[in-house]
Amino acid sequence: MLRNALGKTFRFLGYTVQYGCIAHCAFEYLGGIVVCSGPSMEPTIQNSDVVFSENLSRHFYCIRKGDIVIVKSPNDPKSNICKRVIGLEGDKVCTSNPSDFLKSHSYVPKGHVWLEGDNLRNSTDSRCYGPVPYGLIRGRICLKIWPLNDFGFLRASPNGHRFFDD
């Protein structure tokens, strides 16, 4: 009887470890569901919106300008941030705030991206902490799940004029 109970316990633990490993790999390499908080991505993503973040793009270096990404915060490695990619390595970006009279520009260094929130007046982003290493990108948001009336792919940036093509 004890042998039977031990067998079932170890079998249960084995399945738990196996399924735990499968779940970890799925969330680490495929994607997952994320609840976004804060006003920095309004109007595209509102506070408490639920989105799906896929992680394959970052592994295959398929992140493009205009993509919304989940990134480890450069200021607080325990938290993640949600921002839009404005520039990739070598791109020219506007580093000043929209309210600045004189505009300043810079180039994104190799291995980095330039991130900004869609709500430029209420966003802490690369204009504050500079270019972000590509390795901090956790995933690319591709779908809004909640609220249901906004279900679908995310819309284009309301700040498209800040993208440069030269």
Side-chain angles (χ1 to χ4, degrees):
M1 181 157 141
L2 178 62
R3 185 177 194 172
N4 191 20
L6 283 174
K8 286 183 180 182
T9 301
F10 284 125
R11 220 175 358 262
F12 174 76
L13 288 174
Y15 287 132
T16 302
V17 169
Q18 285 176 348
Y19 291 124
C21 290
I22 291 169
H24 168 74
C25 289
F27 290 129
E28 181 66 24
Y29 296 102
L30 297 179
I33 295 173
V34 178
V35 179
C36 296
S37 63
S40 72
M41 285 304 294
E42 291 176 355
T44 309
I45 298 175
Q46 304 289 327
N47 192 31
S48 301
D49 280 359
V50 179
V51 296
F52 178 76
S53 170
E54 61 86 12
N55 299 347
L56 289 174
S57 293
R58 74 178 170 114
H59 292 294
F60 293 112
Y61 295 94
C62 296
I63 302 294
R64 298 182 314 233
K65 282 196 282 188
D67 287 346
I68 299 174
V69 292
I70 301 291
V71 179
K72 283 279 184 205
S73 172
N75 294 338
D76 178 15
K78 294 180 182 177
S79 66
N80 293 321
I81 57 174
C82 175
K83 303 291 179 201
R84 189 178 297 271
V85 176
I86 301 299
L88 302 169
E89 64 181 41
D91 286 343
K92 181 180 178 182
V93 292
C94 180
T95 58
S96 55
N97 289 312
S99 59
D100 293 348
F101 181 70
L102 294 173
K103 303 296 182 200
S104 59
H105 299 88
S106 183
Y107 288 91
V108 180
K110 185 172 176 66
H112 290 71
V113 294
W114 189 267
L115 304 175
E116 292 181 2
D118 285 354
N119 185 354
L120 291 174
R121 299 197 190 287
N122 196 3
S123 177
T124 302
D125 48 37
S126 287
R127 293 171 294 149
C128 299
Y129 43 71
V132 175
Y134 192 92
L136 293 182
I137 296 175
R138 305 301 304 146
R140 181 179 64 92
I141 294 177
C142 55
L143 189 68
K144 189 185 288 190
I145 298 172
W146 189 264
L148 285 177
N149 60 335
D150 277 343
F151 181 86
F153 296 104
L154 297 171
R155 64 186 116 166
S157 172
N159 305 311
H161 62 280
R162 291 184 61 88
F163 292 60
F164 290 99
D165 289 326
D166 53 4

